[in-house]
Amino acid sequence: MPKMTEYLAPWPFVFTSVLLAIFCCFLAKIFRTPTNSKLPPGGRGWPIVGHSISWYNAVASSHPPSFVHQQVQRFGPIFSCSLFGKWAVVSADPAFNKFVMQNEGRLFQSSYPKSFRDLVGKNGVITAQGDHQRKLHSIASNIMRLDKLKFHFLHDIQIVIKHIISNLHDNQFVLLQDVCRKVAINLMANQLLGVSSESEVNEIAQLFSDFVDGCLSVPIQLPGFAYHKAMKARENIISKINRTMEIHRRKSSPEIGNGVLGRLLEEESLPDDAVADFIINLLFAGNETTAKTMLFAVYFLTQCPRAMKQMLDEHQSLRSERGEEMLSWQDYKAMPFTQCVIDEALRLGGIAIWLMREAKEEVEYQGYVIPKGSFVVPFLSAIHLDENVYEDPRSFNPWRWMKPENQEKRNWRSSPYFAPFGGGARFCPGAELARLQIALFLHYFLTTFRWRQVKDDEMSFFPSARLVNGFQIQLIRIYRDHPISTSIN
């Protein structure tokens, strides 16, 4: 008679196998391809992780749309894939991208990681939804409209930039990435908070650095984690904003009133917590766009002596006319080639290389059906670097924007082919301000220094746009009685 153990021995194996089968079915249920036959074509990628690793490898490189372009060749300009544990519809189609941006709040809504939402706040123009978002966007657009740039920003921007550049020395070795960050944070602290004290700006800069480091971190609220440090930085930034509001209300200080915060308190009726989130959002968005585009513009000019010469000619003529005087609004509008350089830097190294949206309901588009809750990813950089849209798209060529056939594409407010500031209801309200800051920085930097690149560098776009080695250069100061040379090496 067989022993009972001979029958019992297989049961642990059977039990484990059943559990494994149940777990695999559970994973298959979560990560399965939606059965809707009208979903845009695509593949599932690796089990569980889907295409997330390929996506990361692409965006961390100097050519972020490489993964998208590969999928487009297989499936077409609108395709589906698995990203971050959810099914996603990714687009390199200009018309569909415009459709998504124009239907913000109705068919689609913004989608951000928890850590980012917590840090920028629910009352910020970046993460707010619906009517609340539209109200905040309208306030931001009003504060930074063109006529206010002329009278409230133009002079102060130049003071800040000239002060920082004057503290750079002949033969000094610098990481230009750090210099541009310093310029941007000084501009934001001055224009948003009315802060000009160097010690206060340095404190805000450190807090903001900790804040940014936590935006894409794992949301673990324990000491030693980036998220915890970033949330502490947020608390300190809000404390500074609240103190500034108290001073403004108590003293009605004209100096503080010159900042966006002062005008916000005078012209709008928002609760204090909404004001704090609003300022933090502008601080984050303005600093990233401005600093990185300044950096990339100089980086690209360094590699293109012909463009450098044309830039210097344009700015030297302004300096000859003005001497040490501040530039006027008319001077700013007399920089056509500079605007081409900025547009080309934004095309090649734009900060918002893709947008993350979520379908609020089942959406039909040209025969496709996008399920409710799916990620929808308009990959803007895939169009900016598409050889079917731009000739030799990976080359720095600011002259492309002078061609008549590209003028319609160049309209960054409405063009589906060039959208460095997004579009629709979430179009960046500070776009004009950012371009003004970048142009003025280029003017003062190019007419004050030549430079020699010390170390090779390349772009990366994860966790944010940057140059891997910070763009290390040696500065050579230009003296007024010496002619400006276009040699930089």
Side-chain angles (χ1 to χ4, degrees):
M1 181 177 178
K3 296 180 181 179
M4 184 64 68
T5 52
E6 292 179 12
Y7 292 100
L8 293 179
W11 279 106
F13 171 77
V14 172
F15 182 69
T16 302
S17 299
V18 170
L19 285 180
L20 182 60
I22 293 172
F23 180 65
C24 289
C25 290
F26 173 73
L27 291 179
K29 183 178 180 181
I30 293 177
F31 295 101
R32 73 179 185 272
T33 305
T35 56
N36 193 325
S37 60
K38 293 185 178 180
L39 190 77
R44 286 178 291 183
W46 291 94
I48 302 178
V49 297
H51 296 91
S52 300
I53 295 175
S54 299
W55 181 278
Y56 165 77
N57 288 337
V59 300
S61 73
S62 59
H63 184 42
S66 58
F67 166 76
V68 174
H69 286 159
Q70 290 169 6
Q71 300 302 304
V72 167
Q73 289 177 355
R74 294 181 61 192
F75 304 113
I78 304 174
F79 63 91
S80 54
C81 62
S82 175
L83 293 176
F84 320 122
K86 290 185 70 174
W87 203 250
V89 173
V90 181
S91 169
D93 181 85
F96 181 65
N97 288 359
K98 189 172 184 177
F99 172 78
V100 172
M101 290 186 281
Q102 288 181 335
N103 282 282
E104 169 69 37
R106 189 170 68 88
L107 301 178
F108 307 96
Q109 63 184 12
S110 62
S111 178
Y112 297 100
K114 181 182 186 306
S115 55
F116 185 83
R117 296 196 308 271
D118 292 346
L119 285 164
V120 300
K122 64 180 180 180
N123 292 303
V125 69
I126 297 176
T127 55
Q129 304 286 356
D131 291 340
H132 188 41
Q133 186 273 335
R134 284 187 284 274
K135 177 184 177 181
L136 294 173
H137 189 276
S138 176
I139 292 172
S141 299
N142 176 60
I143 287 174
M144 291 180 280
R145 65 177 189 257
L146 273 177
D147 61 322
K148 295 194 175 183
L149 296 187
K150 299 178 187 179
F151 299 109
H152 292 296
F153 293 100
L154 181 63
H155 182 266
D156 289 347
I157 290 171
Q158 294 181 77
I159 289 176
V160 171
I161 291 174
K162 290 180 75 172
H163 173 71
I164 293 174
I165 287 181
S166 69
N167 286 325
L168 298 174
H169 308 299
D170 188 30
N171 292 319
Q172 182 179 355
F173 289 86
V174 299
L175 293 178
L176 190 64
Q177 193 156 264
D178 292 344
V179 173
C180 292
R181 282 173 178 161
K182 184 174 183 179
V183 170
I185 197 67
N186 272 264
L187 288 171
M188 290 296 100
N190 175 270
Q191 291 156 26
L192 297 181
L193 301 173
V195 172
S196 57
S197 161
E198 188 167 352
S199 60
E200 283 188 274
V201 170
N202 289 340
E203 186 179 357
I204 291 172
Q206 183 56 57
L207 291 172
F208 183 72
S209 176
D210 295 340
F211 174 91
V212 171
D213 287 346
C215 282
L216 294 177
S217 63
V218 179
I220 299 176
Q221 186 64 296
L222 291 173
F225 287 89
Y227 176 80
H228 177 80
K229 190 174 184 180
M231 289 298 288
K232 287 292 184 184
R234 171 184 161 83
E235 291 174 11
N236 289 328
I237 293 171
I238 289 177
S239 294
K240 287 185 174 297
I241 294 171
N242 289 337
R243 284 199 298 272
T244 306
M245 285 193 285
E246 290 174 12
I247 294 171
H248 177 77
R249 287 167 175 153
R250 187 170 62 247
K251 297 183 178 180
S252 298
S253 167
E255 181 181 350
I256 294 173
N258 286 335
V260 167
L261 177 57
R263 290 196 296 281
L264 192 63
L265 296 175
E266 292 167 0
E267 300 171 11
E268 307 292 342
S269 55
L270 290 173
D272 286 1
D273 60 341
V275 171
D277 281 353
F278 186 88
I279 294 296
I280 283 176
N281 274 239
L282 296 186
L283 185 67
F284 175 81
N287 185 76
E288 285 296 295
T289 302
T290 304
K292 300 306 171 55
T293 310
M294 288 174 180
L295 172 68
F296 287 152
V298 177
Y299 171 70
F300 292 132
L301 287 169
T302 304
Q303 299 174 329
C304 185
R306 181 185 164 210
M308 175 67 76
K309 182 180 185 308
Q310 192 161 335
M311 279 284 287
L312 285 172
D313 289 344
E314 184 167 273
H315 288 275
Q316 178 64 9
S317 66
L318 292 173
R319 194 177 77 164
S320 299
E321 293 172 9
R322 289 284 177 181
E324 298 300 322
E325 292 180 22
M326 295 285 188
L327 296 180
S328 67
W329 186 257
Q330 289 71 30
D331 294 327
Y332 170 61
K333 302 305 286 186
M335 300 179 182
F337 188 68
T338 300
Q339 296 301 327
C340 292
V341 168
I342 292 172
D343 283 337
E344 190 69 346
L346 287 167
R347 186 186 68 82
L348 286 170
I351 308 309
I353 60 175
W354 79 81
L355 307 176
M356 186 69 80
R357 299 291 184 262
E358 184 177 315
K360 294 179 65 176
E361 58 187 69
E362 186 175 273
V363 178
E364 293 188 25
Y365 181 84
Q366 293 187 354
Y368 295 136
V369 175
I370 301 169
K372 178 181 178 180
S374 298
F375 279 147
V376 180
V377 187
F379 209 105
L380 307 180
S381 182
I383 299 169
H384 295 168
L385 299 177
D386 186 348
E387 61 185 10
N388 296 313
V389 177
Y390 296 100
E391 182 181 354
D392 195 10
R394 295 182 65 182
S395 295
F396 177 71
N397 177 15
W399 298 277
R400 76 173 75 244
W401 299 112
M402 296 179 173
K403 296 179 179 179
E405 62 267 26
N406 283 335
Q407 292 313 298
E408 188 174 345
K409 290 178 188 173
R410 191 182 181 185
N411 187 346
W412 41 267
R413 288 188 174 278
S414 59
S415 172
Y417 301 99
F418 183 51
F421 298 104
R426 291 190 180 273
F427 178 82
C428 176
E432 289 283 7
L433 175 59
R435 295 180 71 94
L436 175 62
Q437 293 171 334
I438 295 160
L440 293 174
F441 169 77
L442 291 174
H443 171 78
Y444 287 106
F445 188 73
L446 267 62
T447 58
T448 305
F449 292 106
R450 290 182 292 119
W451 59 90
R452 180 179 65 86
Q453 184 174 345
V454 175
K455 190 174 184 180
D456 289 341
D457 226 323
E458 62 180 359
M459 295 188 295
S460 173
F461 291 84
F462 190 87
S464 62
R466 63 193 174 93
L467 289 175
V468 174
N469 295 316
F471 198 48
Q472 187 177 13
I473 57 176
Q474 181 184 18
L475 300 173
I476 299 98
R477 180 171 286 276
I478 299 166
Y479 295 97
R480 293 304 303 270
D481 54 345
H482 292 170
I484 294 179
S485 168
T486 60
S487 174
I488 56 176
N489 291 307

